[in-house]
Amino acid sequence: MQTEPMATISERELATLRKRLEALETMSELSSLLSSAIELDELMPLVIDRAKQDMDAEACSILFYNRETNKLEFEVAICAEDDTCNVLKKTISLDMGQGIAGWVAEQQKTLVITDARSDPRFFQGADAATGFVTRNMIAVPLIGRSGLIGVAEIINFNRQDYDIELIEQLCRQFSISIENAIYHRDAIKRERLKQELEIAATVQQSFLPATPSCSRNAVSVSAFSRPAAQVGGDLYDFIEPVDGMLGLLIGDVSGKGISAALFMAKVISDFRFLARGERSPGTVLSRLNASLTNAPRGMFVTVMYAVVNTGTGGVTLACAGHPPAIHVAESPARALAVPSGPPLGIMDFTYPDTPLSLHPGERLLFVTDGVFEAKNPQGERWGYETMLAVIEQNSRQPDLMKIIVDAVDLFAASSPQADDITLVEMHLHAPHSGE
Amino acid sequence: MKIEIVDYKGMKVISPAGEIDMHSSPILRKEIMAFVGQRITPLVVDLKEVTYIDSSGIATFVEGLKGAMSYGGKLKLLGLAPQIREIFSFSKLDKVFEIHSSADDIIQG
C-alpha cells in the first residue's frame, strides 16, 4: 500500500499561514462592515474603532483633505478622552506638508513612525493643544477615484506583528467606501435642495395672476413667463387700482432661489396693497420703495409699472431700474426713454410719472432682462438691439410675444436658460378691428 | 472668480476677477462685509478684471453700500469695463454707486 508523502511545515511557515488567515478574516469582516454602512457618520467611527481595537492602539483619527483651503482637517477621532477629540476637531488643521499627516497627504505614501517625538516631521501642536502624548504612529493616505480624500492615523499602537500591506489594502477599500458615502450624502443634499426649490417655484407661481391675460374695454394685457431651472425672481401683475384703469406691473428680483422667491412674494403683496386706489404709478413705486428699503442682503427689484385708462388709451409709466419698454406702433418699434430711478429697495427716491398716449392698434411691450440677455453656446448674448429688430420685423403679428420667445430659443439653441424670461404686452385695440 | 486685496498708495482695494454670479458673490460678500465690519471708508472695489456681474453680485454691492452708509462711509467702484458699465447704467445703478475711472481719481477726489 502506498503511503501519501508527509508534508512538513516549519513553525515559521505555520505562523505566516496563520497571519494570512487572520488577514483574510480581517479583510472579510471589514468588507462586510464597509458595505453595511452607507452613512458617512456611521461608517467612519465603525471602521476606526475596529482599527483601534485590532492594533491595540490608544487613538485613531481621520483627517479629510479640504480642497478649497488646501488643508487637512480632523473629520473623526477616537481617543480615550472625549476632550482630546473635541480639541482636535475644533481647533487643529494642517497645511499640506505640515506634520506627519501633511507629509503623508503630500507624498501620498504610508509612514510608520516608531518614535514620534524624535521625528522632525511630527507636528507638536496637536499634542500641546490636547495634552496627549504621541509615541508612535501609522499614517496612511486615503486615495479615492477622484484623488486624495485624507489621511488615516493609528496612534500609540501596541501590536507589533501588524501587516502594513494589509493595512494599506484595507485603507484603499475604506477610501472607496468613504467616496461612496460622500456621494450618497451629496446626492441626498441635492435632492432635498431640488425639492425645496420646486416648492419655492410653486409658491412663487401662485403669486402671479391666475390667468396670464385680462381685458377691460379696449385694452387687453397678456403675459408670458418661463422660469429658469433655478427659481428666479421675475414677476408680473395685473390690477384695477381705480375704476376705468388697468395697472400692469413687471419686475425682476435680484438673485435666485428661495430667497428671491420670498422677496418676490413680499414685493407683489406690498404692491397690491399700495397700488389700490392710486392713479399715479410713480407714487406707488415711491411707496413700494420705502417698504422695501430694509430688504436684507442688499436685495432689490427692478420694476416698471404702467397704468392705462381703458377708455382713452392714456398711459402713465414709472420705472425703477427696469429695462425700457417698447412702443410697437406703425412707426419703427422703439425703446421708450422713460426717466427712471434706481431699482427699489436700495435708497430713498421719488419716482416720476411719465405720460404717454397709446393709439388704437398700438402696443406696449415690457420685458425682463432674461429675454435679451439669453446666451448661445458660444457665450454670446442676444442683445436688446437684436430684440428690437425682431419686434420691428413682426410689429403687426398678433402673437408677437411668442415670436420673440421662439427667436430667443432659436438663438440660445442648446444653451440652458439661465434666467427667467418674462414678457407682458398691453394692447389698445382699434375699434371694430376684431383684433 | 478670484479675489485679491490690493494696497494702492495706502488705500485697500478689493479686486475681484472673473464672473460675479450667485455662486461667486458669497466670496465677494465675505471680503466686503469684513471691510464694513472694520468701518473702512471708502470701500473701494476695482472691477477691471470682472467680465460679468449678475443681480446677486450687484446685491452684494448694495449690501456693502448700505453697511458703509450706516457709519457714514462710502462705496466706490472703479475700472468698469464697457459691458459692466452698461449693466449699471441700464438699471440706473449709476445713480446708486459712485463710479470712478481710476484709483488715483478716488485719492485725489
Side-chain angles (χ1 to χ4, degrees), chain A residues 288-308:
Chain A
L288 189 56
N289 182 43
S291 85
L292 299 174
T293 302
N294 292 325
R297 296 252 172 161
M299 291 181 91
F300 60 86
V301 57
T302 69
V303 299
M304 177 97 74
Y305 180 35
V307 175
V308 59

Side-chain angles (χ1 to χ4, degrees), chain A residues 25-99:
Chain A
E25 276 171 4
T26 312
M27 282 282 281
S28 129
E29 276 175 41
L30 258 160
S31 290
S32 57
L33 202 63
L34 288 175
S35 55
S36 68
I38 190 79
E39 298 287 347
L40 200 58
D41 295 346
E42 286 174 27
L43 175 74
M44 311 256 281
L46 263 177
V47 173
I48 67 166
D49 194 44
R50 173 68 203 264
K52 184 171 168 282
Q53 276 179 33
D54 267 15
M55 290 296 291
D56 187 14
E58 283 175 30
C60 270
S61 62
I62 289 167
L63 294 98
F64 267 7
Y65 172 56
N66 184 333
R67 275 171 214 275
E68 281 173 27
T69 58
N70 199 33
K71 280 176 179 266
L72 291 164
E73 292 157 359
F74 279 93
E75 176 69 20
V76 53
I78 293 188
C79 337
E81 306 284 333
D82 283 348
D83 286 353
T84 310
C85 303
N86 288 337
V87 172
L88 287 175
K89 280 204 253 183
K90 282 181 189 156
T91 59
I92 307 274
S93 67
L94 296 170
D95 289 324
M96 290 297 273
Q98 186 189 16

Side-chain angles (χ1 to χ4, degrees), chain A residues 230 254-256 293 295 297-298 300 321 323-324 340-343 345-347 349 372 381 384, chain B residues 19 22-23 29 52 54-56 58-60 62-63 65-66 69 87 90-93 95-96:
Chain A
Q230 293 158 314
S254 64
K256 284 188 174 67
T293 302
R297 296 252 172 161
F300 60 86
S340 169
I346 302 179
M347 58 196 266
F349 197 83
F372 55 88
R381 294 188 185 273
Y384 193 86
Chain B
E19 299 202 340
M22 67 176 298
H23 302 292
R29 179 177 183 269
Y52 174 73
D54 76 353
S55 60
S56 58
I58 292 170
T60 306
V62 171
E63 189 182 7
L65 175 74
K66 284 182 173 178
M69 275 159 53
I87 294 172
F90 219 61
S91 24
K92 303 296 166 199
L93 288 157
K95 290 186 180 180
V96 176

Side-chain angles (χ1 to χ4, degrees), chain B residues 49-78:
Chain B
E49 302 286 336
V50 172
T51 51
Y52 174 73
I53 181 162
D54 76 353
S55 60
S56 58
I58 292 170
T60 306
F61 291 133
V62 171
E63 189 182 7
L65 175 74
K66 284 182 173 178
M69 275 159 53
S70 71
Y71 55 85
K74 287 186 171 174
L75 188 143
K76 302 190 179 200
L77 304 176
L78 61 95

